[in-house]
Amino acid sequence: MDHKPTLFTSLSPALIHLYDLNNTVVVVIDVFRATSTIAAALYNGARYIIPVDSVPKAVEISATVGGIAAGERDGKLADGLSHGNSPMEYKRAFIEDKVLVLTTTNGTRLLSMALEQGAGDIITGSFPNLSSVCNYLIAQRKNVVLACAGWKDKFNLEDTLFAGAVINRVKAHFSIHCDSSFMAEYMYEQNKNDLPGFSKNLTHYHRLVDRFGYIDDIAFCLQENVADILPLYKEGRLIRKG
């Protein structure tokens, strides 16, 4: 029998240092909203996305490449940026053939951390591009770490639910001995038939909906395969694979 690659789930950026990321596919997961926004922008024809970990860097790089400086801090548009971190902002008519320079509180920071830890193969995952993520992981036949962005190093459930959705679909191809993966799949199995209803319990839902009214964002972020492309990190950019 073939030796299967391993799959682990890191529930927070604060735990990512516990995993070996060398020769591993790292899936950066920030469901509300960075990785959903990345999928939407690339699906709608963005040339590529440059993820950066600070607002000044986003402003500086976007000026250099003629791109759109975008992102948020604490859920709202950060000073100096022209567009936010909402997948609804990046319709084809707006984003096609443009470069997006994106900085977010959790997701882009986690991507930087994974790079520092030696990850050579990084993709981003969200419900809108679930199938593409699963197909890529199965095809690569490499060890996998599902890296949840959480909220400022704290655990959050929506990223874990997405990890569970991935595990639910790929588990036959991997050796999984990991309680966080077991928990992620269990939570997804329990709630998969009504993710929008279940999401009303989540702290990040309240942060985004009660404070800012981003109900359409949440609906998009929980819809499977509505922007089903694969964002692959290459030489400082997230590009659409294939």
Side-chain angles (χ1 to χ4, degrees), residues 5-233:
T6 60
L7 183 150
F8 290 95
T9 302
S10 167
L11 296 175
S12 150
L15 299 170
I16 193 76
H17 69 280
L18 300 173
Y19 300 90
D20 180 4
L21 304 188
N22 293 298
N23 201 32
T24 295
V25 182
V26 177
V27 186
V28 172
I29 303 165
D30 188 359
V31 169
F32 295 161
R33 295 166 297 161
T35 55
S36 300
T37 297
I38 287 163
L42 288 174
Y43 180 77
N44 286 325
R47 278 171 57 207
Y48 54 86
I49 296 169
I50 302 175
V52 295
D53 54 7
S54 78
V55 172
K57 212 184 277 185
V59 174
E60 182 190 335
I61 291 173
S62 66
T64 309
V65 300
I68 297 161
E72 50 73 36
R73 283 296 177 271
D74 298 335
K76 59 182 185 293
L77 183 68
D79 290 343
L81 302 179
S82 53
H83 288 271
N85 181 33
S86 165
M88 312 314 286
E89 285 186 62
Y90 301 104
K91 303 277 194 261
R92 185 169 292 274
F94 171 62
I95 196 63
E96 194 165 25
D97 293 328
K98 293 195 175 79
V99 174
L100 189 62
V101 185
L102 187 68
T103 181
T104 69
T105 306
N106 306 293
T108 55
R109 174 175 159 263
L110 173 58
L111 196 153
S112 297
M113 292 169 76
L115 282 171
E116 282 163 22
Q117 225 173 291
D121 193 352
I122 300 177
I123 62 173
T124 66
S126 61
F127 287 102
N129 70 322
L130 173 61
S131 289
S132 287
V133 168
C134 295
N135 294 338
Y136 183 79
L137 296 182
I138 292 166
Q140 293 307 105
R141 296 183 181 174
K142 285 161 74 170
N143 294 340
V144 169
V145 171
L146 302 175
C148 299
W151 176 261
K152 298 186 177 180
D153 281 346
K154 293 177 182 160
F155 170 80
N156 79 18
L157 205 42
E158 67 272 9
D159 295 344
T160 304
L161 285 169
F162 176 76
V166 172
I167 293 160
N168 189 252
R169 287 159 174 79
V170 307
K171 61 186 175 184
H173 302 268
F174 291 90
S175 170
I176 306 175
H177 300 288
C178 162
D179 281 2
S180 50
S181 296
F182 171 74
M183 185 265 295
E185 190 193 10
Y186 182 78
M187 290 302 299
Y188 173 73
E189 272 289 333
Q190 295 296 306
N191 299 290
K192 65 182 180 184
N193 295 327
D194 185 18
L195 289 175
F198 180 67
S199 74
K200 290 174 182 168
N201 300 301
L202 309 180
T203 52
H204 207 154
Y205 176 98
H206 292 289
R207 193 179 292 117
L208 292 170
V209 175
D210 298 351
R211 287 172 63 194
F212 305 118
Y214 291 145
I215 192 82
D216 292 345
D217 282 25
I218 301 290
F220 179 87
C221 293
L222 294 174
Q223 258 185 295
E224 293 180 1
N225 299 326
V226 288
D228 196 20
I229 51 92
L230 190 80
L232 179 70
Y233 186 80

